[in-house]
Amino acid sequence: MAVKGIYDYSRERLEAYFLEKKLAKFRATQIFEALYRIRISAFSQITNIKKEVIAQLEQDFTFPKLEIVTKNVARDGTTKFLFRLEDQSLIETVLMIHDYGYSVCVTSQVGCNMGCAFCASGMTKRIRNLTPAEMVLQVLTIDNYLRQEEKRVSHVVIMGIGEPFDNYDNVIEFIKIINDPKGLEIGARHITLSTCGIVPKIYEFAELNLQVNLAISLHFANDEKRSRYMKINKKYPLKALITALKDYFQKTKRRITFEYILLKGINDSLEDAKELCNLIRGLNCYVNLIPYNETGGIFKRSDEKVRDQFFDYLIKNKINAIIRKEHGHDINAACGQLRVQKMKEK
Ligand code: SAH
């Protein structure tokens, strides 16, 4: 068997590995506890497993690490990590502090192919998918950092660079690993996956019924506009998206989040608000209105007054909505910005 990173393995897959080696499968639980509770950095640190088994593990698995390149702390405590992967690729991960806990915004791909016009991540094409281990290590490295202050990561949002449903299998494996009760134990309801709307994957995801939160980057409520700024809409237009979401709700009974960035003069009129209400009425959902993080392009953030009018319109029309609180505005916490900046410096 090829040498693989130990953090790539869910407990289920480790059990299969041990069975294949004719060893007891409870070893998988011991490994999980050692990795995610004790936080060993070498198999030799495990004390409750026989030497021969340890030797076998050392042969079959590596201990990948993330190198912290920079760490920027904003006034509100939001911390942005720039990590270097083993192949030298750079990725960003953001730690946010909420009144309900600590959440980590995880990157799922190096670059992104979705090409949404307003997004800094889309400026660089997808180079490759991240492995489960590379996503697990983003959470684990930040959790180790918090541990020094006796705190822990309580929430994970898969909203960093990349389209998680364009890296489906690895992202699902990642979710299983961080959710494992013998591991990091991040509750499914504390995990949110955000997608621009790859419809067939929404159906697949519904089948898994993981009880993870699903967020949809909607941003536009009519096909003409959405297709203009989001390529994915040409392939999966709004009708197909909404039908998939109805199916998702039927199977999982989980409320859906719609993300809607307010872009000045583009999607922030009361007419846009009306279209949005009409599109999502009847779905069990809520709308997260997001202040745009300007990235130097043609897109501007809506004025606060316009934003508030948009919000009021939704509420009056009985659509649940909130205006997203901003985090780390002073450190360019918008996805992709730091990485793009670093690449330009080169
Ligand atoms: N590809 C996934 C996840 C990554 S993007 C998705 O599309 O959902 C995470 C969220 O940030 C998306 O809603 C995206 O549209 C939004 N976003 C991208 N650029 C932004 C910016 N400059 N300001 C605010 N939100 C942005």
Side-chain angles (χ1 to χ4, degrees):
M1 131 180 184
V3 178
K4 287 213 73 173
I6 188 69
Y7 300 106
D8 269 314
Y9 279 66
S10 61
R11 197 146 52 98
E12 213 179 325
R13 281 185 64 204
L14 264 185
E15 282 176 0
Y17 161 84
F18 281 113
L19 288 177
E20 194 192 301
K21 297 278 173 197
K22 309 245 178 313
L23 293 163
K25 73 173 190 181
F26 74 85
R27 297 278 179 224
T29 302
Q30 290 179 314
I31 299 290
F32 251 62
E33 284 169 348
L35 290 175
Y36 299 111
R37 297 284 166 88
I38 303 168
R39 306 281 160 95
I40 56 157
S41 54
F43 289 114
S44 56
Q45 293 162 4
I46 303 179
T47 49
N48 56 353
I49 296 182
K50 283 190 297 204
K51 272 209 202 88
E52 303 85 82
V53 179
I54 298 287
Q56 180 77 57
L57 289 166
E58 282 170 340
Q59 237 179 53
D60 292 340
F61 299 100
T62 59
F63 259 97
K65 274 203 183 74
L66 289 184
E67 179 199 338
I68 302 178
V69 181
T70 55
K71 192 174 87 226
N72 293 348
V73 186
R75 279 190 289 275
D76 64 5
T78 303
T79 306
K80 188 160 194 165
F81 294 81
L82 186 69
F83 291 122
R84 197 188 320 275
L85 307 177
E86 290 189 336
D87 71 348
Q88 304 302 308
S89 297
L90 296 173
I91 57 163
E92 300 177 7
T93 311
V94 183
L95 164 66
M96 286 167 293
I97 301 167
H98 304 276
D99 43 11
Y100 54 78
Y102 293 83
S103 90
V104 170
C105 179
V106 169
T107 282
S108 59
Q109 297 179 312
V110 182
C112 181
N113 272 351
M114 296 300 114
C116 301
F118 45 83
C119 176
S121 313
M123 280 158 65
T124 50
K125 284 259 165 285
R126 180 188 66 197
I127 297 163
R128 67 177 179 85
N129 287 331
L130 292 195
T131 61
E134 287 166 335
M135 291 181 266
V136 169
L137 282 168
Q138 292 174 58
V139 180
L140 195 62
T141 308
I142 293 179
D143 196 71
N144 283 337
Y145 168 78
L146 286 176
R147 249 191 182 195
Q148 299 161 9
E149 299 167 30
E150 292 179 25
K151 295 167 183 149
R152 69 177 282 258
V153 175
S154 57
H155 291 69
V156 168
V157 296
I158 310 169
M159 285 191 191
I161 297 171
E163 167 50 47
F165 279 172
D166 189 35
N167 182 17
Y168 186 83
D169 293 342
N170 288 352
V171 165
I172 299 301
E173 196 70 7
F174 160 64
I175 291 173
K176 287 184 180 159
I177 296 169
I178 60 168
N179 177 233
D180 196 297
K182 298 292 180 192
L184 286 167
E185 208 178 2
I186 311 237
R189 283 155 190 253
H190 287 189
I191 301 173
T192 302
L193 183 152
S194 175
T195 176
C196 63
I198 301 186
V199 163
K201 295 296 173 195
I202 296 177
Y203 286 103
E204 263 187 65
F205 193 62
E207 289 298 329
L208 295 179
N209 201 353
L210 290 176
Q211 295 298 299
V212 163
N213 304 303
L214 181 64
I216 304 293
S217 296
L218 187 66
H219 310 322
F220 307 92
N222 80 51
D223 277 320
E224 200 263 315
K225 269 191 195 177
R226 196 166 192 265
S227 295
R228 196 182 318 156
Y229 300 109
M230 296 177 72
K231 269 191 334 200
I232 194 72
N233 198 71
K234 294 183 187 157
K235 196 158 183 194
Y236 305 113
L238 289 169
K239 193 159 177 271
L241 178 61
I242 299 294
T243 308
L245 293 176
K246 283 183 181 155
D247 171 83
Y248 174 83
F249 183 76
Q250 233 178 17
K251 293 200 173 114
T252 64
K253 298 286 176 276
R254 300 289 293 152
R255 181 163 79 157
I256 293 150
T257 305
F258 286 110
E259 293 162 284
Y260 195 101
I261 306 175
L262 287 165
L263 300 164
K264 188 174 189 163
I266 293 181
N267 65 353
D268 61 353
S269 70
L270 289 183
E271 189 52 37
D272 293 306
K274 189 175 164 189
E275 277 182 332
L276 177 59
C277 292
N278 290 339
L279 181 73
I280 64 177
R281 185 165 290 120
L283 277 174
N284 190 333
C285 66
Y286 81 97
V287 177
N288 212 335
L289 293 174
I290 306 173
Y292 184 59
N293 252 313
E294 293 179 9
T295 59
I298 57 160
F299 298 96
K300 298 284 173 246
R301 157 188 299 223
S302 301
D303 297 331
E304 279 181 23
K305 205 175 131 212
V306 171
R307 179 197 70 190
D308 293 346
Q309 279 171 357
F310 197 100
F311 173 75
D312 290 342
Y313 186 94
L314 298 186
I315 298 299
K316 265 194 215 119
N317 285 278
K318 307 220 163 11
I319 299 287
N320 298 314
I322 56 162
I323 297 172
R324 182 186 285 174
K325 194 170 158 262
E326 281 189 274
H327 290 275
H329 194 54
D330 52 312
I331 54 160
N332 276 351
C335 19
Q337 290 188 358
L338 188 63
R339 174 169 173 264
V340 169
Q341 202 176 321
K342 194 89 194 168
M343 286 173 17
K344 276 186 191 151
E345 279 169 24
K346 278 190 190 166

